[in-house]
Amino acid sequence: KDDLIIKNQKLTFPLYGYVGENKVLLNENKILFSGVVNDINGIWYYNLETKELSLQMKLKDFEVSYMFLSNDKEMINISTTIIDQDETLKSSSYIGRLNEDFKIIELKSFVEEEHGIGNKHFLGFYEDSKKVYYKATLGNENENMEVYEVYELIY
């Protein structure tokens, strides 16, 4: 508890060498944060009033995650990056729903890939949370172009 300082919705200490935004999401008195608790790397839920702490999604060691919340606070995107034993950078993206307690439910894998040409990066939710936007890079080592992809979520 002494290592985690929440300020401006940022995790303020390095996690596996990464510091950045989108590590903490706050909704009234409830927090979703990415971090290591009791040596478990994951996405955690914490209720400030009841002091409830629960693991929402376990992450592998050296896996870094970023969370993005839809405008209506009903949907969440979790993007992860990990370097495996072969030193290959891999990314995944998950889409989930949030219940009335701000806990993650119905989390589904959406994108899983190795880094290189053709990577997809989450850009955001459309206002109604029924569509998500990704940016992809297509081409080869010499020439490439960026394209934007829109996916409609059906649930």
Side-chain angles (χ1 to χ4, degrees), residues 25-27 30 32 45 69 98-104:
L25 299 175
L26 179 64
N27 185 13
K30 298 161 185 117
L32 286 173
Y45 166 86
L69 192 61
L98 297 169
N99 68 12
E100 62 278 351
D101 290 327
F102 204 54
K103 291 183 179 179
I104 300 170

Side-chain angles (χ1 to χ4, degrees), residues 18-136:
Y18 290 85
V19 177
E21 297 181 13
N22 301 94
K23 300 293 242 173
V24 178
L25 299 175
L26 179 64
N27 185 13
E28 297 174 5
N29 61 347
K30 298 161 185 117
I31 300 170
L32 286 173
F33 68 94
S34 176
V36 178
V37 175
N38 297 328
D39 296 323
I40 298 172
N41 185 22
I43 306 293
W44 295 87
Y45 166 86
Y46 186 72
N47 186 313
L48 293 169
E49 289 181 0
T50 65
K51 310 295 187 216
E52 175 191 355
L53 175 69
S54 63
L55 181 64
Q56 298 291 289
M57 177 183 178
K58 188 171 181 181
L59 302 173
K60 298 175 185 172
D61 287 341
F62 303 104
E63 189 170 18
V64 180
S65 65
Y66 300 93
M67 298 179 291
F68 303 90
L69 192 61
S70 65
N71 291 338
D72 61 9
K73 296 184 180 180
E74 292 182 8
M75 301 294 290
I76 188 169
N77 169 274
I78 299 172
S79 297
T80 65
T81 303
I82 188 168
I83 298 176
D84 68 9
Q85 294 137 359
D86 299 330
E87 299 295 317
T88 304
L89 202 58
K90 294 182 180 178
S91 294
S92 297
S93 185
Y94 303 85
I95 300 286
R97 296 180 66 150
L98 297 169
N99 68 12
E100 62 278 351
D101 290 327
F102 204 54
K103 291 183 179 179
I104 300 170
I105 56 174
E106 301 177 24
L107 192 64
K108 307 284 183 193
S109 178
F110 195 70
V111 174
E112 193 169 309
E113 63 190 0
E114 290 185 10
H115 277 238
I117 299 299
N119 289 344
K120 292 182 184 182
H121 301 284
F122 179 81
L123 293 179
F125 289 96
Y126 189 67
E127 290 176 9
D128 62 4
S129 299
K130 292 187 168 87
K131 295 179 183 171
V132 291
Y133 292 87
Y134 281 83
K135 178 175 75 171

Side-chain angles (χ1 to χ4, degrees), residues 7-25:
K7 182 177 180 182
N8 297 328
Q9 297 188 9
K10 294 181 182 180
L11 194 63
T12 58
F13 68 92
L15 173 63
Y16 302 125
Y18 290 85
V19 177
E21 297 181 13
N22 301 94
K23 300 293 242 173
V24 178
L25 299 175

